[in-house]
Amino acid sequence: MLDKKYRDEALDIDKQDLSSIPHAVGWESPSNIALVKYWGKKGIQEPINPSISMTLSNMHTQTRIHYARAMNEHGRVWLRFNGTDNHPFGKRIQRYLDTLDSYFPFLKSLDLHIDSRNSFPHSAGMASSASAMSSMALAICSIEQNLREEPLRSDHFFQKASYMARLGSGSAARSLYGHYVEWGQHAYGSDEFAHPYAKKIQEPLSFLHDSVLVTSTEPKKKNSSSGHDLMEQHPYRQARIEQALNNLEKINRSLKEGDFHSFSEVVEEEALSLHAMMLSSRPGYALLKEATIRIIDELRAFRQETGTQVTFTLDAGPNVHVLYPTREKEKIRQWLHQQLKPLCENGKMIHDFTGNGPEQLHNGTY
Ligand code: DP6
């Protein structure tokens, strides 16, 4: 539906004078952690089930683009990712920019100098593509905004950026907004773009800490996109879709009532089901490490003994996201430090929390 609209309104700048418009844009966009997981695609980058995530804060990508009318007939792109010109992820970004060409035909008339950097290790199952692609989508949409005679209204701008981010990485669609974010058709909502969670959330669930216990920073042996592909013929595909729909209902109730216990049940079931889907794919594969399982066992034992409000989730990787409300922060940090740090690779933990969404860094000349 929006595909046609965005193609119809595509902006070309063949003859436009660019001298008076800004020439640099920059956005910082956060990572997000899914609580009900998107796993499996249909159509063009649309999810087979709706998902809900919490936006993070410290884990983010900053993307800055300097642009000018192309020196030659066709525009060129210079791309630095995490400080290097030939980063392997650069190729994926380049492919993504090629995908965007038909929505933003003005790109072919521009030379782009792109600098994109993550605040956290890349490709270690920490949704680095979500923050990278969403910051890239925002930067490109901002260039368009600067070139338009009539800029889009803020809500339309973010909706378009979410749509475009989705084309780069599904989970990136949700990084466009702060707090809790939904993506996918359900009672309401869309498969084409994400939207902020609109219902009231009761304490202590409106703001959570997320300490990521990094058990491995090795590149994953299977990326998410091929994992999604295996859902097409997955023996449990239908059951998984139903489970996600049920869990979305349940988590809605937990958020409304501020019920940490039922929230934990859903979030842990989702994390373990995601990995169960990987294990039972054809062919099956495992991304979990021994340390992942040990951390989960330790966390459950600690919760049982102390009654602490703490839960965990997993991304498509071996690192454990430990979630807890502020009132448990001191107790949990001490426990993490003493008991779980030794299970992490080089003792690495990343402390994060619910974030407010992307921030514009720059819009002007250079
Ligand atoms: C397990 O968004 O990384 O993190 O759309 O192929 O880029 P692509 O996949 P991606 O998949 C993320 C899956 C997940 C769950 C989630 O974030 O909902």
Side-chain angles (χ1 to χ4, degrees):
M1 203 172 80
L2 279 177
D3 188 76
K4 183 169 172 356
K5 173 175 154 42
Y6 291 148
R7 284 177 198 276
D8 285 352
E9 71 182 26
L11 185 74
D12 224 327
I13 52 162
D14 271 352
K15 297 190 183 59
Q16 199 175 328
D17 173 17
L18 301 189
S19 54
S20 64
I21 53 169
H23 286 88
V25 292
W27 279 90
E28 177 178 299
S29 192
S31 182
N32 70 75
I33 177 69
L35 303 165
V36 172
K37 310 288 181 183
Y38 142 57
W39 199 239
K41 304 183 193 193
K42 60 181 168 58
I44 300 173
Q45 285 282 103
E46 292 188 355
I48 58 170
N49 64 269
S51 58
I52 178 166
S53 59
M54 184 178 89
T55 298
L56 297 173
S57 179
N58 292 334
M59 290 194 266
H60 57 246
T61 305
Q62 293 191 341
T63 298
R64 292 178 170 82
I65 305 184
H66 291 171
Y67 60 98
R69 172 140 337 252
M71 306 274 267
N72 298 315
E73 197 191 337
H74 288 294
R76 284 189 60 192
V77 178
W78 288 263
L79 174 66
R80 277 176 87 72
F81 186 74
N82 279 353
T84 30
D85 292 338
N86 293 315
H87 195 285
F89 192 65
K91 289 202 183 69
R92 180 155 170 204
I93 296 183
Q94 187 56 60
R95 279 201 304 279
Y96 174 49
L97 291 172
D98 295 342
T99 313
L100 294 187
D101 265 356
S102 55
Y103 300 97
F104 302 103
F106 61 83
L107 288 174
K108 67 180 180 319
S109 312
L110 297 176
D111 282 340
L112 306 177
H113 288 262
I114 305 178
D115 183 82
S116 191
R117 33 188 94 225
N118 278 349
S119 65
F120 57 102
H122 179 77
S123 294
M126 283 189 279
S128 50
S129 58
S131 55
M133 296 306 184
S134 57
S135 63
M136 193 65 62
L138 278 162
I140 301 287
C141 288
S142 270
I143 299 178
E144 183 192 52
Q145 193 80 332
N146 288 336
L147 297 171
R148 287 176 88 96
E149 271 170 30
E150 248 184 78
L152 297 180
R153 263 177 28 197
S154 168
D155 52 343
H156 288 163
F157 171 82
F158 281 99
Q159 183 169 305
K160 184 165 187 175
S162 176
Y163 180 100
M164 297 301 163
R166 184 197 104 230
L167 300 180
S169 180
S171 53
R174 297 184 309 238
S175 277
L176 270 292
Y177 302 100
H179 312 282
Y180 289 84
V181 182
E182 287 178 295
W183 171 42
Q185 231 168 356
H186 186 37
Y188 58 97
S190 165
D191 289 336
E192 293 184 290
F193 54 87
H195 62 90
Y197 188 77
K199 287 170 245 159
K200 195 159 164 37
I201 298 171
Q202 194 70 241
E203 297 306 334
L205 294 175
S206 63
F207 179 93
L208 293 177
H209 293 268
D210 177 3
S211 292
V212 186
L213 308 197
V214 182
T215 58
S216 169
T217 51
E218 265 172 34
K220 285 185 281 180
K221 53 188 174 213
K222 205 169 204 44
N223 62 29
S224 292
S225 297
S226 34
H228 286 291
D229 289 348
L230 290 171
M231 283 306 287
E232 253 172 61
Q233 303 296 328
H234 199 290
Y236 305 140
R237 178 188 163 98
Q238 204 45 42
R240 165 62 199 148
I241 295 173
E242 278 158 31
Q243 179 193 39
L245 290 169
N246 272 332
N247 279 342
L248 206 70
E249 295 291 334
K250 284 191 193 158
I251 208 164
N252 268 320
R253 274 201 298 278
S254 310
L255 293 171
K256 185 171 168 214
E257 290 161 12
D259 182 349
F260 195 88
H261 177 72
S262 60
F263 177 83
S264 311
E265 283 179 347
V266 173
V267 167
E268 292 178 22
E269 181 178 302
E270 279 290 313
L272 297 173
S273 296
L274 168 70
H275 285 268
M277 289 299 116
M278 295 177 202
L279 290 162
S280 52
S281 291
R282 290 176 179 152
Y285 62 103
L287 297 182
L288 301 172
K289 302 268 180 207
E290 196 189 328
T292 317
I293 308 290
R294 282 187 60 193
I295 290 170
I296 293 171
D297 287 347
E298 290 273 347
L299 184 147
R300 287 179 160 172
F302 172 75
R303 182 170 59 198
Q304 176 88 24
E305 277 160 29
T306 61
T308 310
Q309 289 188 322
V310 61
T311 185
F312 71 89
T313 186
L314 304 162
D315 233 321
N319 305 318
V320 185
H321 289 245
V322 177
L323 304 173
Y324 49 96
T326 301
R327 62 177 173 231
E328 307 284 21
K329 184 174 164 191
E330 236 172 273
K331 196 190 333 174
I332 288 184
R333 289 288 175 92
Q334 205 180 7
W335 164 70
L336 290 178
H337 206 79
Q338 286 171 355
Q339 303 295 325
L340 299 186
K341 201 174 161 138
L343 296 174
C344 300
E345 187 182 270
N346 301 319
K348 190 155 178 61
M349 298 191 249
I350 302 173
H351 298 297
D352 212 338
F353 46 84
T354 316
N356 296 327
E359 238 180 81
Q360 185 153 29
L361 300 171
H362 190 75
N363 193 38
T365 48
Y366 55 95

